Amino acid sequence: MAENRYFQKALSDFTFETACGGAIRHLADSGYTVKQIEEHLDYPAPHTRIQKTVWEQLLARGILLKERPGSGLRREKAVYVKEYDTFGKTSFRRVIVHEEDGDAIHWKEPVPYSGARTVEMLLQVLRKRIAENGENDAYASLDFGLMTGEPGKYEAALAVLPEGAGEYVSGLPWEKMRVYHKLDIRIMEIIAYLYEAELYQGECCFTGTKTILRLE
């Protein structure tokens, strides 16, 4: 009985992957929010399934990290392997594949941000840092998953964000832990608005220069 349930789940996962898994990952790679992905899919899929697929894709591509960048730890991603028994019966097995996150970085002493607590000033500082390091070598810590444990804090954070940025945040299934997100234009805007509203405490990590900008 348990074996049959396992097979049915694996078959469901494989069907979902064949029908829309690739499309979801492609749209996520293109910067679409979960809501936008739902609107563009030809094959209907559960909201939570789309969220999970997008989250896993962000982790697999290194857009999201569960540790500070340069930790030297390994990233994980799930793949499904088709197998056949001696009678030719098909089954699917979920396999976790590990990928190295690169060499550990010896960070310089974190530098506290000393500029004005405004969106414009913080964006100006971050753009300058990005110009020195490159967007691919910059991450910002995000605590949305931890915010959900404090009544009203997560909702307050969403309320100060512009519509597109808020839609991106609300669409992801944040785990109850600090994560690090590539410091792209969208994330720069998110932390700038949160910081201005005194709803952000975290750090921006720039691997090229091995520097950390701390916002408190």
Side-chain angles (χ1 to χ4, degrees):
M1 195 71 173
E3 181 181 346
N4 185 57
R5 285 198 301 270
Y6 172 81
F7 177 78
Q8 291 300 323
K9 181 181 184 305
L11 182 59
S12 173
D13 290 342
F14 186 77
T15 301
F16 171 83
E17 175 62 27
T18 302
C20 57
I24 293 172
R25 287 192 294 274
H26 171 72
L27 292 171
D29 289 345
S30 299
Y32 283 59
T33 66
V34 167
K35 181 181 178 181
Q36 290 170 330
I37 291 173
E38 285 182 300
E39 294 170 349
H40 281 77
L41 287 180
D42 295 326
Y43 181 88
H47 179 75
T48 55
R49 199 69 181 272
I50 297 173
Q51 285 183 304
K52 183 174 184 291
T53 303
V54 171
W55 184 264
E56 289 178 347
Q57 178 67 358
L58 294 177
L59 288 171
R61 292 193 60 231
I63 305 298
L64 271 179
L65 302 176
K66 292 187 177 182
E67 300 284 344
R68 178 188 283 175
S71 64
L73 299 180
R74 297 187 299 172
R75 296 197 300 269
E76 295 183 351
K77 67 177 181 179
V79 297
Y80 289 90
V81 179
K82 182 187 290 187
E83 297 179 332
Y84 301 92
D85 63 16
T86 54
F87 301 100
K89 183 179 179 181
T90 305
S91 63
F92 303 93
R93 182 164 57 92
R94 187 174 186 268
V95 178
I96 299 296
V97 178
H98 295 90
E99 295 180 340
E100 294 296 332
D101 191 29
D103 297 329
I105 293 175
H106 298 289
W107 294 98
K108 299 175 183 177
E109 188 69 21
V111 176
Y113 171 72
S114 57
R117 191 182 282 273
T118 65
V119 171
E120 295 78 11
M121 180 59 71
L122 183 52
L123 286 176
Q124 182 179 329
V125 171
L126 293 177
R127 289 191 190 104
K128 181 179 179 181
R129 296 271 185 152
I130 292 291
E132 296 171 352
N133 288 266
E135 187 177 294
N136 289 330
D137 293 319
Y139 284 83
S141 64
L142 297 176
D143 294 337
F144 290 113
L146 297 174
M147 284 182 179
T148 59
E150 302 180 43
K153 190 168 184 179
Y154 178 72
E155 291 74 16
L158 290 179
V160 304
L161 296 178
E163 182 178 358
E167 184 178 296
Y168 180 74
V169 171
S170 64
L172 294 177
W174 301 97
E175 298 181 22
K176 294 187 182 299
M177 62 184 295
R178 167 167 284 190
V179 297
Y180 288 79
H181 195 294
K182 282 251 197 224
L183 192 54
D184 54 26
I185 295 174
R186 176 186 278 157
I187 300 301
M188 281 197 290
E189 182 180 59
I190 286 171
I191 65 174
Y193 275 92
L194 292 178
Y195 188 70
E196 183 180 63
E198 300 186 2
L199 291 169
Y200 182 86
Q201 287 187 324
E203 58 186 26
C204 299
C205 305
F206 304 92
T207 61
T209 55
K210 302 179 182 178
T211 55
I212 295 174
L213 181 66
R214 180 170 291 160
L215 295 105
E216 298 176 336

